[in-house]
């Protein structure tokens, strides 16, 4: 996949660059990010340099993860990270992907993460052909779940002992988003735009 850039009213989403390492390192000093994500702890500058300079571009090149730096269009500051993973199912009949994200502490509570997530999932549905987007988080991550719900994810339950972290098995919350769950995006002329719907017919269980 050739890296892409997405733009919203307040944000610019582009692949991380090596020049973002210092900002990523600073953001990931906040304890909640390593607590609820796979970010290493303690998080060193070398970790950020590896992430921005190697891991992110390699993910785009090999189609294993599409990671965006979420930036403020006002001042270019780092808002957070948004990623699509489990892309091995993108070109199978399942046509699924998983959305993940973290937000810098000082950028929380402004609606930025919801805004960025909506842009990424719309792109995934319309351009990548995703038919089911999943969200997973360790049970108890109320902040991540609140964002997912605002985006439109439907909570589906708890996966018991799904996650192994720090030598213990932990429960995971799971939610899903279908193209039909999102309202049409406004077209450039202000009219109601269209969003690609599922290519595979969906037969929901009536019970």
């Amino acid at each position: 996949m050739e890296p892409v850039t997405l733009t919203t009213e307040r944000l610019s989403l582009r692949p991380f660059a090596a020049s973002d390492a210092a900002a990523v390192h600073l953001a990931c000093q906040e304890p909640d990010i390593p607590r609820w994500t796979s970010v290493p702890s303690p998080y060193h500058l070398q970790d950020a340099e590896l992430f921005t300079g190697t891991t992110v571009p390699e993910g785009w090149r090999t189609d294993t993860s599409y990671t965006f730096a979420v930036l403020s269009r006002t001042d270019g500051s780092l808002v957070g990270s948004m990623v699509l993973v489990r892309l091995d199912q993108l070109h199978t009949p399942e046509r699924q992907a998983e959305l993940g994200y973290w937000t810098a502490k000082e950028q929380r509570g402004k609606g930025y993460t919801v805004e960025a997530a909506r842009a990424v999932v719309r792109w995934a549905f319309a351009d990548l052909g995703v038919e089911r987007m999943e969200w997973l988080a360790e049970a108890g991550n109320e902040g991540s779940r609140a964002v997912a719900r605002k985006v439109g994810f439907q909570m589906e339950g708890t996966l018991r002992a799904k996650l192994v972290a720090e030598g213990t098995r932990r429960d995971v919350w799971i939610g899903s988003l279908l193209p039909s769950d999102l309202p049409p995006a406004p077209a450039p002329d202000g009219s109601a735009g269209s969003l690609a719907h599922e290519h595979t017919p969906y037969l929901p269980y009536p019970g």
Side-chain angles (χ1 to χ4, degrees), residues 16-18 48-58:
F16 280 96
E49 291 171 342
L50 178 65
F51 172 71
T52 59
T54 302
T55 304
V56 170
E58 187 71 4

Side-chain angles (χ1 to χ4, degrees), residues 185-207:
D189 61 3
S191 62
S194 62
L195 182 68
H197 293 284
E198 303 98 311
H199 299 292
T200 307
Y202 173 36
L203 183 63
Y205 179 63

